[in-house]
Amino acid sequence: MLGKMLRFVLWTLYALSIQSIAAEPMLSRIRLPPGFKIELFADQLPNARVMVRGERGTIFVSTRGEGSIYALRDAAGDGRAAAPRTIASGLKMPNGIAFRDGALYVAAVDQILRYDNIESRLDNPPAPVLVTNALPKEQAHGWRYLAFGPDGKLYVAVGAPCNICDQAGYAELRRLNPDGSGMEIFARGIRNTVGFTWNPSDHTLWFTENGRDWLGDNLPPDELNQAIKSGLHFGYPYCHGGDFLDPEFGAGKNCADFTPPAQKLGPHVAPLGLTFYTGTQFPERYRGQILIAEHGSWNRSAKIGYRVMLVTLRDGRAVSYEPFAEGWLDGERVWGRPAYLLVLPDGSLLVSDDHAGAIYRIRYDAALVPKV
């Protein structure tokens, strides 16, 4: 118990040490490849996290600590959203949201709610419909992520209720029917994923995973994983990174018995949202590749992360891992924390920042490439 209290105090002190800074004047510090530009899309969004786009173009934005859901519209068509509307408040860490058939689905720790016909009722949101309340109530790693898969099922993450433990009913990725029925386990051995998506070319599921803490600055790596089928076990709490047995739970285990990561990420970079780049605005080398928002370390002696990374695939396998957008970390000073990503129909990319309470838009224009 004392150890948990100490870790909570350390995390709180870290959070208080990061000073909030107005985002827009700082964007000139973001480093991008030639031809790319980053601009402010929306602000006044405390704790902005997951973004999904409705059928009519509304951008819905979740939060974690704020307990609210926002709606954004680019009414002027100038690439910048008007002031956000609050469509729900008082929810319990509503991190995960998904959109389907006119309805917004919201995961609030132990329940999933549905807001029907929401884009027609932004100024007068309907009362939510309970989809399910058959989820654990623990708040530790209880901020869930939601997404609809190619099979029409709703996938939801159930993180471990601890840093490291072996407890049935947790460290899972589940799926269920849109009406809440038929909940089943899709994958196991996942400490905490709060970001997953499907490869549009082969429909395999890819997800980020936050590794355990308190094994030092450089162990274990966080992970990008691929689930080519259901029923796989990804190692937690026994094996980390595909080759490192846990000092507490690894005795008698063999890492070869578990599915290794598709790509090892930096240690404690806290990967959250990821997306396949499905647009055509960016140059060819980015199309069909994976972009990952790294939220940034909180208990490492030298901070790491706070950036958007590019993972390049070849023949369905990860072959490189490199920065795409960075600069939210200036030495040891943090002014922003990328959280989630969304590709817009025009091919530009939205990046939410839950520290600055903002969303940025990254676009590409060949005219911006320096002439040689």
Side-chain angles (χ1 to χ4, degrees):
M1 178 63 70
L2 183 59
K4 289 184 178 179
M5 290 178 62
L6 177 59
R7 291 166 190 171
F8 176 76
V9 169
L10 288 172
W11 187 94
T12 302
L13 289 173
Y14 166 77
L16 291 173
S17 71
I18 300 179
Q19 299 299 311
S20 181
I21 300 173
E24 190 165 23
M26 304 292 288
L27 288 179
S28 61
R29 301 187 179 204
I30 300 302
R31 300 182 295 278
L32 290 158
F36 286 91
K37 183 176 182 179
I38 187 168
E39 302 162 314
L40 187 68
F41 177 76
D43 56 7
Q44 305 175 54
L45 293 165
N47 204 228
R49 299 275 289 192
V50 180
M51 302 168 290
V52 296
R53 186 176 184 273
E55 295 161 352
R56 302 183 189 179
T58 307
I59 305 297
F60 296 96
V61 186
S62 75
T63 64
R64 191 178 76 178
E66 291 294 315
S68 299
I69 305 292
Y70 304 109
L72 299 172
R73 298 299 297 267
D74 178 8
D78 59 359
R80 186 156 179 170
R85 307 183 210 189
T86 301
I87 62 169
S89 59
L91 300 176
K92 190 175 179 181
M93 295 196 300
N95 182 77
I97 56 175
F99 192 90
R100 183 181 177 88
D101 296 333
L104 183 70
Y105 291 72
V106 178
V109 183
D110 58 342
Q111 58 184 346
I112 298 175
L113 306 171
R114 190 184 74 237
Y115 294 81
D116 293 327
N117 198 26
I118 186 63
E119 287 187 283
S120 296
R121 303 192 59 183
L122 297 179
D123 293 321
N124 182 29
V129 175
L130 178 66
V131 175
T132 184
N133 58 4
L135 294 169
K137 300 180 183 298
E138 287 84 356
Q139 293 191 40
H141 295 152
W143 46 96
R144 315 212 177 279
Y145 186 78
L146 282 180
F148 279 97
D151 56 4
K153 302 272 190 176
L154 182 60
Y155 287 68
V156 58
V158 178
C162 55
N163 172 39
I164 186 77
C165 58
D166 191 359
Q167 193 167 338
Y170 297 88
E172 300 171 344
L173 182 58
R174 302 182 188 180
R175 64 181 175 186
L176 60 153
N177 295 320
D179 64 1
S181 65
M183 185 180 292
E184 62 181 351
I185 298 170
F186 176 79
R188 292 180 169 86
I190 305 166
R191 179 178 179 269
N192 188 34
T193 177
V194 277
F196 47 84
T197 190
W198 286 262
N199 187 331
S201 64
D202 63 12
H203 303 302
T204 57
L205 185 146
W206 293 71
F207 63 93
T208 57
E209 181 175 1
N210 288 255
R212 68 157 293 178
D213 294 313
W214 309 112
L215 290 180
D217 276 0
N218 297 314
L219 284 174
D222 288 334
E223 299 177 12
L224 171 65
N225 291 296
Q226 180 189 22
I228 61 174
K229 61 180 180 179
S230 63
L232 297 177
H233 194 295
F234 289 86
Y236 177 89
Y238 317 116
C239 176
H240 311 290
D243 55 14
F244 177 69
L245 286 173
D246 189 85
E248 296 179 58
F249 291 92
K253 302 295 184 181
N254 187 336
C255 285
D257 295 332
F258 307 109
T259 303
Q263 174 68 54
K264 294 181 184 181
L265 308 179
H268 310 299
V269 295
L272 300 185
L274 77 164
T275 186
F276 280 83
Y277 183 72
T278 54
T280 58
Q281 183 186 112
F282 290 9
E284 183 67 32
R285 69 166 298 222
Y286 298 96
R287 299 174 192 175
Q289 309 305 328
I290 299 174
L291 293 160
I292 300 174
E294 292 186 347
H295 198 226
S297 59
W298 68 272
N299 62 347
R300 203 171 180 274
S301 61
K303 294 182 177 68
I304 188 174
Y306 308 93
R307 59 196 178 187
V308 178
M309 298 293 284
L310 171 69
V311 174
T312 300
L313 305 181
R314 185 177 302 140
D315 298 325
R317 299 176 64 88
V319 296
S320 68
Y321 166 60
E322 61 188 296
F324 171 70
E326 55 185 342
W328 288 276
L329 175 63
D330 183 7
E332 288 294 295
R333 181 170 178 257
V334 173
W335 65 269
R337 306 188 76 183
Y340 286 89
L341 308 172
L342 178 66
V343 179
L344 294 180
D346 69 355
S348 61
L349 178 73
L350 294 185
V351 181
S352 65
D353 178 345
D354 65 350
H355 175 65
I359 295 175
Y360 317 114
R361 184 170 70 106
I362 296 176
R363 61 183 179 87
Y364 178 81
D365 184 347
L368 299 176
V369 178
K371 299 293 189 270
V372 179

